């Protein structure tokens, strides 16, 4: 959605005028997060290699944090709660003691 004007050939949307930004903030490239001073410079940027490389990077599938954690070997073990453990010890603890003692 943010890259829609790149795929369909539409021009960039009208942005708020901000005097502190280059070109009063009117010429902004979302994929590269850059402001440009004029439309000509913006269009030249859209044809540049770094911009096209950035579009290619964005088009790839993005990893989630869970996938990154698994790739780093950081698994999440699901441990039983303390209440469940106390219930298991109370119910099954006697049978374990009698089995060991016999």
């Amino acid at each position: 959605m943010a890259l829609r004007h790149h795929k369909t050939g539409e021009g960039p949307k009208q942005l708020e005028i901000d005097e502190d930004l280059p070109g009063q903030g009117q010429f902004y490239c979302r994929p590269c997060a850059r402001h440009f001073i004029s439309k000509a410079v913006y269009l030249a940027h859209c044809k540049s290699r770094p911009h096209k490389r950035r579009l290619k990077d964005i088009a790839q599938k993005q990893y989630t944090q869970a996938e990154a954690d698994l790739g780093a070997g950081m698994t999440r073990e699901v441990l039983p709660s303390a209440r469940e453990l106390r219930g298991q010890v109370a119910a099954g603890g006697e049978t374990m003691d009698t089995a060991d003692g016999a």
Side-chain angles (χ1 to χ4, degrees):
M1 286 161 266
L3 302 177
R4 184 175 156 181
H5 71 274
H6 290 288
K7 293 179 181 177
T8 60
E10 296 176 11
K13 294 181 181 179
Q14 188 72 17
L15 302 172
E16 287 184 32
I17 294 178
D18 187 352
E19 294 179 5
D20 295 333
L21 296 173
Q24 297 184 346
Q26 296 301 301
F27 308 104
Y28 181 70
C29 177
R30 287 185 186 208
C32 301
R34 292 184 61 190
H35 289 276
F36 298 95
I37 197 157
S38 68
K39 187 172 184 174
V41 176
Y42 170 76
L43 292 175
H45 163 76
C46 289
K47 295 177 183 178
S48 70
R49 181 177 286 171
H51 176 77
K52 291 178 183 179
R53 193 178 318 135
R54 181 70 180 141
L55 288 179
K56 186 178 176 183
D57 289 344
I58 291 174
Q60 292 179 353
K61 180 186 173 207
Q62 302 296 313
Y63 290 107
T64 62
Q65 185 62 43
E67 290 173 330
D69 289 345
L70 287 174
M74 299 171 56
T75 59
R76 291 190 176 151
E77 297 181 30
V78 179
L79 301 175
S81 68
R83 180 177 290 164
E84 292 174 2
L85 287 175
R86 277 189 243 129
Q88 289 175 356
V89 170
E94 298 170 2
T95 59
M96 291 176 74
D97 290 337
T98 57
D100 290 338

